[in-house]
Amino acid sequence: MIFGSWVCLLAPLVGFLAILLAGTRITRRQAGILSTTSVFVGFAGALVAFFDAWGREPEERGELTTAWTWLKAGELEVGLELLIDPLSLVMMLVVTGIGGLIVLYSNGYMAGDDEERRYFAYMAFFVFSMLLLVMGGNLLLLLVGWGLVGLASYLLIGFHHERASAVAAAKKAFVINALGDALLALAFFLAIAKVGSLDFGVVFEAAESGELSDTVATLVALGLLGGAVAKSAQIPFHTWLPDAMEGPTPVSALIHAATMVTAGVYLICRTHPVFEAAPEVQHLAAILGLITLLVAGVVALVQWDIKRVIAYSTMSQIGYMFVGAGVGAYGFAMFHLVTHAFFKALLFLAAGLVIHHLSGEQDIRKMGGLRSSMRFTHLTFLVGTLALVGIPPLSGFWSKDAILASTLAEGGVLGWVLYVGGLVGALLTGLYSLRLYLLVFHGEPAAQAEAPHAEHAHHGEGPRSMTIPVAVLAVGSAVAGLLGIPGVWHPFEDWLHDVAEPLVEPSTRQEWLTSGLAVTLGVLGALLAWRAFKAGRELVPDGAVRTTLEHKLWFDELYDTVFSRPGQAIAVTLRDRFETPVVQGGLDEVAEGTLRGAAATSAAQSGLLRTYALAITISVAVLALVFLVVR
Amino acid sequence: MMGPGIPWYLAISAMLFSIGVAGVLLRRSPLIVLLSLELMLNAANLAFVGFSRLFGEMDGQVFALSVMAVAAAEVCVGLGLIVAMARRNLALDVDAFTELRG
Amino acid sequence: MLTTLLIFVPLVGALLVWIAPLSRESTAGLALLVALAEVGLWLGSTRNFDFGSDVQQYSASQEWFEELGISYAVGLYGFQFWLVGLTVVVGACAIGYGAWANRDRARAYFGLMLFLIGSLVGVFASQDLILFYVFFEAMLIPIYVLVGVWGGPGRMKATLTFVLYTMAGSLLMLAAIIAFGISQGTFLLAEIGTSSNDLIFLGFMAAFAVKAPLLPFHGWLRAAYTEAPPEVAALLSGVVSKAAVFGLVWIVLPHFPQPVDDWRNVVLALAAATLVYGSVLAFRQPDVRGVIAYSSMGQMGLIVLGIFAVNDLGLDGAVLHSINHGLVSAGLFFVAGMIETRTGTGVFSELGGMAKGRPILATLVMVLGIFALAVPGSANFAGEFAILAGVFEHGWGYAAVGAGAIVLAALYALRLISAVLHERRGRSVREEPDDLVGSELILVVPLVAILAVLSAWPAGISERSFPADAPAAFIGAQSGEGLGTP
C-alpha cells in the first residue's frame, strides 16, 4: 500500500519535472503523452494501494509513512509524511482516474496551441499538488498541498496570458485562495500554541478528549472552515469561480469541478473531530452550503455562457456536499463528491466538444439543434444532465438524495431548514440543467452551427482522445451511484465508516421518501424548463430580479467597493502622501544640505597662497595671545 | 656685559619679523616673498643670538647656525622653482597659481 | 583559522585585483576565481562543522589592544555559518553578474566587490564588539563607491543618503559599544555580561533598525535599491540587511534580556507595521525595483518579528527566512537587471508580454515571484510559518497581521509577474525573442536550485542553526557567565 501510494504521488511530479526540464527538446505531442502517462501511472499506483487496503481488516487500513523531517523548529516537528487511509484512497483514485481522463482529453482539445508543453507541465503539477493535499499526513503538509493547488489553478486559469481577462481572473482566484490559506494558517498557529503539534493524531485526540477549550476548538474550526469555503468557492468567498472559466475547458473540468474545489469537503471530512468539538461551526458549514446551493442555483438560471452555467452548478452541488458534511454525513458527502466528479467532468468535457466543434463559441444563444449534428455529444451530455438532476438510476440520484435524507435524520430546526432548502435546490437543478441542455441541443440551429470547422468534417465530433474519456465518464456517471443503494448495500459508506463515522444515519424509509420527493421536484423543474423553452421565453423574466441575478447578486461590486478600491486607495495615498514627501523629501533635504555645506566649506580652499599664509599668521597670533593670557 | 640690553635686540628682531611677514602677505612676486621669508628667519636668528648672549650659553648661537643652513637649503629649492617658472614663461605672480583648490 | 581565511581571502583578493595590471577580462576572471575559491572553502568546511555542538566552531582569538580589552575574536555557530554561506554564494553570483555586465574600471570595481564580501563575512563571524563595528563600517565604503560610480542617474543622492543614514545609526551604536565595553571591562562577546541599560540597548537598536530597515528608518531604501547596479542591490538587500539580523540575534538578545523584555511589544509592533507598510507600498510601485525594494523591507520586518519572539519557532524561522529571503531577493534583482538590460527600463508601463518567446525568462520570473510570495511548500513559507507560529505566543494580533501580509504578498508578487510577463507587449520590449542565455542563467539558476532544495528540506537549515536545536535556551545561556549555564 505504501509503495503504491508513493508511486501515485511521485509519478505526476516526475512527469512535471521531465516536461519542465526538457523544454523545447520534446515535441508538443510528446509532452502531452508524457503528462498523460504520468497521471495514469499515478492511477495505477492508487489502484495497487487500494486493492491492498481492500484486502485488509478495516482497522488496519490506515498507514502513516514518513520520508524525512521537513521542518523542525524547537519543539515543533513536521515530517514529510503521508497518511494512506480509506478517505485518502478515495480521493487518490478520483484525482488520478478522472484527472488522467481529462489530461487524455486535453491531448485532443489543446492540439495546435502554441504552448502545449507548458499546459501539460502545469496539469501534471496540479495532479501532484492535489495528491499531496489529500495524502498529506499532517496539517502543515495539507496546507502545502492546499497552497500548491491554488498556485496550479492560477497558472492554468491564466494560461492564455495574452488575454487581460484571463490574467485578472487568475489573480483573483489566487488572492482569494491565499486568503483561505491565511485563515488556515491562523487556525494552525492556534493549534500549535495549544497542542504543540500539527500531526493529525495529536490534534484530533485533543479535540475529541475535550483538551481544547470550546473557544479554541471553535476558532480552529472557523479557520479550517474559512479555508474550505475559499477553496470550494462557497459564499462568501465564491467570486473567483465563475471568472475561472477563462481557463481552457479541461482545466475547468479538472480543477473547478472534479477535484480542487472539492478539497474543502475533503478537509471537513478529514478534520471532522475538530468540527465535532465545535458544533456551531459545523452547522455554520451546512448553512453556508445551503445558501450557496440556492444562490448559485438561481444565478445559473440567467447565465448565457455554457461554461458559466456549469460552473454555478458546481458551486451549487458543492453546497450540497457542505450540507452533508455539516450535519455529519461524511460518507454521503464524499459519495456525492465522487459521483459529482464523474458527471460534472463529463458535462464540462462534453461542453468542450461543443465549443471545439463550434470553433470557440461559448454563448448558448448562438447554439441550438446540435442534437442531430453531434449525436455522441448529445447522448453523453444528456446522461450528465440527468445524473445532475438526480434521475434514477443515474449516480446523482443516489448520492444527492442520501445527503438530503441525512438532513431529515438530523431533525431539529436546522435539519428541517436544510431539508426544505435542499429540495428547493433539486427543483432549481432541474430548471437550470434542462434549460442549458435544451438551448444547446434542441430547437433551431443558430447560423454559425451550420458551418462547422472544416477539420471536423473528418473527425466527426472530435478525435478519439477526446471522445473516449467522455464516454468513460458517461458510463461512470451512470453507474457510480450504484455503490450506495439504501437498504440494499452501501459499500462506499462502509469503506469510509472507520475514518469518518457519520453523526446521523437516516433510516431506509427516510431515504426512499426523500428520493421520491427529490426526483419529483427535479422532474418538475425539468418540465417547467421544457415548457418555457417551448414557449420561447426565459425562466426568469426581465426586471429587477433578473438584473440582480445577472450581476451575481452584486457580490463582485460589493467586494470591489469594500476591499479592492479602498485597499488600492490606501496604498496610493500612503505612497504619495506619506512615503514620498515625508520620508524621501526629508532625506533629500539632508543629502542636499550636506552637499551645500560641503560646497560652502570647500570655498575656504581657494588655492591662493597668500590666503593660506594669512590664515597661518592669524592662527599663530591668536595662539600666542592665548598662551600669554592663560599663563 | 656691555652693549645694548636684551630688549633692544628683541625690538629689532620683532621689527624685522613684522616687515618680513608683511612682505610675505603683501608682495606678489615670488622672489620678494622668498626675500621676506629670509628676513623672518634672520629676525629669529637675531633673537636667538641675543638670548644666547644674555644667558651666556652657546645653545642659541649654535641653533642660529642650523637655521642658516636650513635657510640656505630652502632658498635653493625656492630659487630653483622660480627659475623653472621663468624658463616656462609663467607669470611670476603668486596669485596666479590656484589649481590646488577645494 | 578557517574563519580567518574566509574573511581574508576576499580581502587579499581585493588587494591583488587592485594592484595587478590586468586587462578587463582577466581582472574579472581573477575576481571570479577568488569568489569561487571562497565558495569552495565554505562548502569544504561544511563537512567538519558540528552543528549541534555548544562550542564555537572554527574560532580564533587574539589580543589586539590589551589595555582596552579588544581582541580579534572570530568564530561561528550554525546560524552564522549559514549567513556566511549566503554571503559567499550571493557574492560569487554578484561578481559573475559584474563580469557579465562588463563593468568599466574593472580593477576598482572587482576590488571593491571582493572587499565588500570580505567585510560582510567579517561581520557575521566576529565575536568581539569592536571588531564587529570595524567590519560593520568597513561594509559601507565599498557600497558608497559602487553605488556612487556605477549606479543609475540618481546615484549620488542615493548613496549619500544611504551612508549618512547608516552612519547616524552606527555612531549611536559606537557610543553604546564603548559604554558597554568599558563598563564590562572587555569587548569579547563570550565574556561580556548583560546589561539592563535602556540607553545602550537603544543605541544598538538604532543601528540595526536602520540597517534592516524598520519603519520609520527606511528612507534610504528606495533610492539605494533603485539606483544601485543590480548586483550591488542584490548584495544590499540579500546580505547587508542580514547584518541587522546577526546583530539582533547575537548581540542584543543575549546581552540585554531585561530591555528586550521591556521593549518587546514596541519592537514587535514596529516590525509588524514594517511588514504591512512594506507590503502595501510594494503593491503600488510603478517599477520592478520598487516592488522588490518594499517587498524586501516587509520581509525584514517579518524576520525581526521572529527574532523578537525570542522562542524556538521564532528564532529558527527568522534564520531560515533570512537565508531564503536573501536568495530570493538577490535572484529577483539579478533578473530585474537582465530585464533592464534588454528593455532599458524597469517601469511597468513600458513592460509587458515578455513571456512570449522567452520561456526561460518567464519561468525564472515566475519561480522567483512565487517563492517571494511564500507559496506553501516553499522554503520561504516554512520560514514565514515558523516565525508567525512563534510570534503567536506573544499576541495573536501579530500573527493575524502576518497572515494578512500573506495575502498582500500574493497581490504584489502576482502584479509584478503579470506586469512584466503577461498581456500585451510593452513599448520597450523588443519583438525579437531575446531570452536569457547561458551566461545569465548561470548566475540565477544556482540560487533557484538552492531554494528548491531548501523547499524540500527546510529542516536542513532550521535544525542546524543553533546548538541542540534549542535556540531560546541557547540565547538565554549566553548572558552572564557564558555558555552552557541557563
Side-chain angles (χ1 to χ4, degrees), chain A residues 1 20 43 46 86 106 122 127 231 236 253 269 281 299 336 351 354 395 426 440 445 515 563 568 598 605 614 630:
Chain A
M1 189 161 87
L20 182 72
F43 182 62
S106 308
Y122 289 162
V127 174
K231 185 69 71 187
C269 293
V281 182
V299 175
H336 196 51
V354 170
S395 56
V440 175
S515 302
F563 296 114
Q568 298 212 11
Q605 299 293 101
L614 183 62
V630 167

Side-chain angles (χ1 to χ4, degrees), chain C residues 84 158 169 173 195 199 202 259 439:
Chain C
V84 170
M173 181 168 77
S195 160
L199 286 177
L202 286 175
S439 54

Side-chain angles (χ1 to χ4, degrees), chain C residues 119-429:
Chain C
S119 4
L120 278 168
V121 176
V123 167
F124 292 130
S126 45
Q127 298 293 339
D128 175 288
L129 276 176
I130 295 290
L131 188 67
F132 169 75
Y133 186 78
V134 167
F135 281 122
F136 199 79
E137 293 303 297
M139 276 193 313
L140 286 185
I141 308 168
I143 295 178
Y144 176 76
V145 183
L146 284 167
V147 176
V149 175
W150 287 274
R155 60 188 181 272
M156 273 330 288
K157 218 155 38 149
T159 194
L160 202 58
T161 319
F162 170 71
V163 169
L164 285 175
Y165 229 129
T166 314
M167 291 237 76
S170 308
L171 283 172
L172 286 171
M173 181 168 77
L174 181 62
I177 289 180
I178 294 176
F180 193 31
I182 300 289
S183 69
Q184 300 283 332
T186 172
F187 286 95
L188 268 179
L189 280 175
E191 290 176 15
I192 220 173
T194 57
S195 160
S196 30
N197 190 323
D198 271 352
L199 286 177
I200 302 186
F201 166 76
L202 286 175
F204 279 107
M205 285 305 293
F208 300 137
V210 170
K211 200 54 138 187
L214 287 181
L215 199 71
F217 305 108
H218 64 287
W220 58 269
L221 179 98
R222 175 65 157 110
Y225 286 6
T226 310
E227 301 295 339
E231 69 278 15
V232 178
L235 276 172
L236 268 178
S237 94
V239 189
V240 172
S241 53
K242 309 301 178 286
V245 172
F246 170 76
L248 286 171
V249 171
W250 200 231
I251 300 179
V252 174
L253 283 189
H255 301 285
F256 297 93
Q258 195 51 46
V260 165
D261 230 13
D262 293 337
W263 290 84
R264 184 207 311 278
N265 279 318
V266 173
V267 179
L268 283 179
L270 215 57
T274 310
L275 174 57
V276 172
Y277 186 81
S279 306
V280 169
L281 275 170
F283 177 49
R284 269 281 156 257
Q285 290 301 307
D287 62 330
V288 179
R289 295 253 202 146
V291 174
I292 309 177
Y294 283 108
S295 152
S296 196
M297 174 183 171
Q299 296 304 299
M300 285 309 295
L302 179 64
I303 294 175
V304 174
L305 205 61
I307 295 177
F308 269 80
V310 198
N311 53 27
D312 289 347
L313 276 170
L315 285 166
D316 268 340
V319 171
L320 177 61
H321 203 53
S322 300
I323 307 296
N324 297 332
H325 171 255
L327 292 168
V328 169
S329 219
L332 278 173
F333 270 116
F334 288 142
V335 172
M338 292 169 194
I339 293 177
E340 280 164 20
T341 320
R342 283 164 171 72
T343 60
T345 174
V347 182
F348 286 150
S349 53
E350 306 271 323
L351 296 175
M354 287 191 86
K356 202 120 191 85
R358 299 177 187 78
I360 304 183
L361 175 67
T363 313
L364 274 178
V365 172
M366 194 81 86
V367 168
L368 284 168
I370 287 166
F371 272 116
L373 65 82
V375 71
S378 63
N380 304 57
F381 167 73
E384 187 160 5
F385 189 83
I387 290 178
L388 293 176
V391 89
F392 190 82
E393 189 184 298
H394 292 289
W396 60 268
Y398 300 119
V401 166
I406 294 180
V407 182
L408 287 172
L411 283 171
Y412 68 66
L414 292 184
R415 180 165 170 271
L416 172 67
I417 295 176
S418 292
V420 172
L421 297 179
H422 293 159
E423 297 185 39
R424 268 199 307 263
R425 197 160 55 85
R427 260 177 301 187
S428 303
V429 178

